[in-house]
Amino acid sequence: AKLPASVQVEDIIQNGMLGLLDAINRYEEGLGAQFETYAVQRIRGAMLDGLRENDWLPRSLRRDMRRIEAAVHLLEQQHGRHPSERELAESLGLPLADYQHMLQEARGYQLVYFEDFAGDGEDDYLERHITLEGNDPLTLLLEGNMRDVLIKAIDDLPDREKTVMGLYYEQDMNLREIGEVLGVSESRVCQLHSQAIARLRSRISGAIQVAPKVKGEGKARGRRPAAAS
C-alpha cells in the first residue's frame, strides 16, 4: 500500500512466482523447516528483491542513510537521548539544510533487509533461524523480544516524529494531509518520516546485533531474502 504508483502489482506477483519456483528447487527435507515456511520467505524475498533491483533510492543515498543511522546510534550512546537534527547534521559534517535535504530525498527508505542485520562474517538473519522447526523469522520476531524493542523504539520517538508515524501508518494519511494537521509543509513531513525510520532502523539493528544467536544443525542455502519494515 505504501509503494510508489510506478510499481505494478503484476510485476510483484511474477517475482513471487519465480520465488516459489526457486523454493521448490532449493528446498531440502530434513533441515527442520516445513516447505510452507521456507516457500513463504522465498516468495516474499523474491518480491522484495525485484523491488530492490528497480530501487528508486540511489545507492549513494542509501549509503548516506546508513551514515545517519550510525550517527543516531553513536549520539544516543553518548548522550542517552535522541539526538536533534542539528546534532546529527553536525556529526555528519553537514549544514542543517543539506541534512534535511538528504532526509527529504530518502523518501521510500522503509525497506529493511535481513542482510542489514548480519555482522561481518556472519550468516544472514534468515539462515540463522529458518532451519529451526517452528521458528520462522516472523515467529521469532513476534515471540522474541524484537517486537518489544520495536514498540519501545516507536514509543521513544520524539513527539512530532511519533505523530507522523501514527498518522501515516495507522490513519493512512498522506504527507500533504499530515502536513495540514501539523501545520508544516509536505516536504517537512517527509523529512520527519525519514528521520523516524532512521531512528527505528538504528534501534532494531542494534538490538539484533547484541541478541544471542540461535543455532541450528543445518542451514538453508540460496539468496538472501529481504523483509519490509
Side-chain angles (χ1 to χ4, degrees):
K2 299 300 180 183
L3 293 173
S6 59
V7 176
Q8 300 296 317
V9 175
E10 292 80 6
D11 292 339
I12 297 178
I13 293 175
Q14 183 178 15
N15 289 331
M17 291 298 296
L18 294 175
L20 175 59
L21 293 174
D22 182 61
I24 292 172
N25 292 330
R26 293 179 180 274
Y27 179 72
E28 298 180 15
E29 294 184 3
L31 290 180
Q34 296 293 324
F35 174 75
E36 291 83 359
T37 300
Y38 182 74
V40 164
Q41 298 303 324
R42 289 296 168 194
I43 292 169
R44 183 175 179 81
M47 289 177 171
L48 291 165
D49 279 347
L51 292 173
R52 192 176 198 179
E53 289 173 2
N54 299 295
D55 201 348
W56 59 92
L57 196 68
R59 289 185 179 181
S60 59
L61 190 51
R62 189 177 296 281
R63 185 169 56 249
D64 287 341
M65 289 303 296
R66 286 177 175 167
R67 288 177 57 212
I68 293 176
E69 292 166 24
V72 168
H73 180 73
L74 177 63
L75 293 177
E76 284 183 347
Q77 294 297 312
Q78 290 178 346
H79 304 304
R81 59 172 173 77
H82 284 298
S84 67
E85 283 181 294
R86 189 170 298 279
E87 288 173 331
L88 286 167
E90 291 176 355
S91 176
L92 295 169
L94 296 172
L96 180 60
D98 289 352
Y99 171 71
Q100 291 177 337
H101 179 72
M102 185 188 299
L103 291 174
Q104 185 174 341
E105 290 296 304
R107 180 177 181 178
Y109 188 65
Q110 56 260 54
L111 288 181
V112 180
Y113 301 97
F114 284 129
E115 59 209 39
D116 291 344
F117 301 135
D120 293 338
E122 293 181 358
D123 294 332
D124 68 56
Y125 185 78
L126 177 65
E127 290 180 345
R128 292 205 303 270
H129 298 100
I130 191 64
T131 58
L132 300 180
E133 186 172 2
N135 281 333
D136 61 272
L138 179 59
T139 301
L140 289 170
L141 179 67
L142 295 176
E143 294 183 353
N145 70 344
M146 202 54 58
R147 181 174 182 272
D148 295 334
V149 169
L150 179 58
I151 292 173
K152 181 67 165 56
I154 294 173
D155 190 56
D156 287 345
L157 285 173
D159 290 341
R160 180 164 285 196
E161 292 176 26
K162 184 161 57 176
T163 299
V164 168
M165 298 294 280
L167 294 176
Y168 189 70
Y169 291 103
E170 294 182 14
Q171 303 301 320
D172 202 29
M173 297 175 67
N174 60 39
L175 300 184
R176 179 185 57 78
E177 293 169 335
I178 296 173
E180 292 175 355
V181 171
L182 297 180
V184 298
S185 66
E186 182 176 342
S187 62
R188 180 57 181 157
V189 175
C190 183
Q191 293 168 9
L192 293 170
H193 176 266
S194 295
Q195 188 161 261
I197 291 295
R199 294 190 200 274
L200 295 179
R201 284 174 55 95
S202 174
R203 183 74 66 88
I204 294 171
S205 178
I208 290 178
Q209 293 296 343
V210 300
K213 295 182 183 178
V214 180
K215 297 182 179 179
E217 294 180 356
K219 67 179 182 178
R221 292 192 292 269
R223 295 178 62 187
R224 296 176 177 179
S229 63

